[in-house]
């Protein structure tokens, strides 16, 4: 169990995480248009110019003061490198429960153990094309979790992170949508607490 080091703060550097890709052998669940599983594919090969529809998730992590954790994607990421986004995203593996996948990725990307996980947008789906031509094509339920400590993110996942009030995040995304992942903007539009 992780301990609480003190008040939540902002950071410009993620200390933890090797620059190797432990997710290289990870598999994603391929879906038909109705959201039913039709197979699996290696995560390392599934994202390209013709990415098949697959299962993913997004999670917004909140502190006890109500601020939300936003992360800036590492510059080495395949899609949307260097943009700000929600706390973390991932893909459940074949036969992996969604909550187990969320907890696994929270540990891997942010060094955080999550308590309760709540659904926000269970039917969220999107397709977006990165400037490089790589397509994200996901049925991507969106979740919320609360933590009482700062992250210790993996350097290959997160370049920077910050805690921000939700209304300020909404205003920043509206003012400069190009600085944020498209899915974050769409999630904020769809979710009005």
């Amino acid at each position: 169990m992780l301990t609480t080091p003190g008040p939540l703060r902002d950071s410009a550097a993620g200390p933890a995480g090797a620059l190797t890709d432990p997710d290289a052998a990870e598999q994603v669940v391929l879906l038909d248009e109705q959201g039913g599983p039709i197979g699996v594919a290696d995560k390392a090969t599934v994202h390209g110019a013709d990415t098949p529809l697959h299962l993913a998730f997004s999670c917004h992590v909140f502190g006890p003061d109500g601020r939300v954790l936003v992360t800036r994607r590492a510059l080495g990421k395949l899609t949307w490198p260097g943009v700000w986004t929600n706390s973390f995203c991932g893909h459940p593996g074949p036969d992996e429960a969604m909550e187990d996948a969320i907890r696994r990725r929270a540990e891997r990307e942010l060094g955080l153990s999550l308590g309760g996980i709540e659904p926000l947008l269970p039917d969220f789906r999107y397709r977006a094309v990165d400037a490089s031509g790589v397509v994200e094509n996901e049925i991507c339920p969106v979740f919320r979790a609360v933590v009482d400590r700062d992250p210790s993110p993996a350097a290959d996942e997160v370049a920077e992170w910050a805690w921000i009030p939700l209304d300020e995040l909404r205003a920043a995304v509206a003012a400069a949508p190009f600085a944020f992942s498209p899915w974050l903007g769409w999630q904020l539009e769809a979710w009005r607490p």
Side-chain angles (χ1 to χ4, degrees):
M1 186 77 173
L2 299 172
T3 60
T4 304
L8 302 175
R9 61 179 172 80
D10 296 345
S11 172
L19 294 179
T20 59
D21 185 6
D23 304 321
E26 186 178 345
Q27 292 192 313
V28 299
V29 178
L30 302 177
L31 303 173
D32 62 23
E33 283 300 312
Q34 292 71 42
I38 58 171
V40 298
D42 289 341
K43 178 184 169 187
T45 63
V46 76
H47 295 92
D50 191 28
T51 302
L53 182 63
H54 59 280
L55 185 59
F57 63 82
S58 269
C59 189
H60 297 267
V61 175
F62 287 81
D65 60 359
R67 292 183 298 163
V68 63
L69 176 66
V70 292
T71 58
R72 184 170 165 245
R73 293 170 62 84
L75 297 178
K77 296 291 280 182
L78 177 65
T79 59
W80 286 273
V83 303
W84 286 91
T85 193
N86 57 295
S87 306
F88 69 100
C89 296
H91 304 84
D95 301 318
E96 183 180 26
M98 187 65 79
E99 283 199 14
D100 292 342
I102 294 168
R103 290 180 203 290
R104 173 178 54 81
R105 289 307 299 179
E107 278 285 347
R108 162 70 178 97
E109 291 190 29
L110 299 174
L112 291 174
S113 292
L114 299 183
I117 298 168
E118 304 171 21
L120 289 178
L121 299 169
D123 300 318
F124 185 74
R125 178 177 176 168
Y126 76 99
R127 184 180 186 282
V129 183
D130 182 75
S132 69
V134 176
V135 175
E136 288 282 8
N137 186 19
E138 300 178 336
I139 291 179
C140 183
V142 180
F143 297 85
R144 175 184 196 276
V146 177
V147 299
D148 61 359
R149 66 180 299 272
D150 288 327
S152 180
D156 62 332
E157 295 286 349
V158 176
E160 297 178 78
W161 56 271
W163 294 102
I164 184 170
L166 188 56
D167 59 340
E168 290 182 22
L169 177 59
R170 287 182 187 281
V173 172
F178 53 84
F180 297 89
S181 69
W183 59 89
L184 174 61
W186 295 327
Q187 289 171 12
L188 291 174
E189 286 176 20
W191 175 53
R192 294 286 176 183

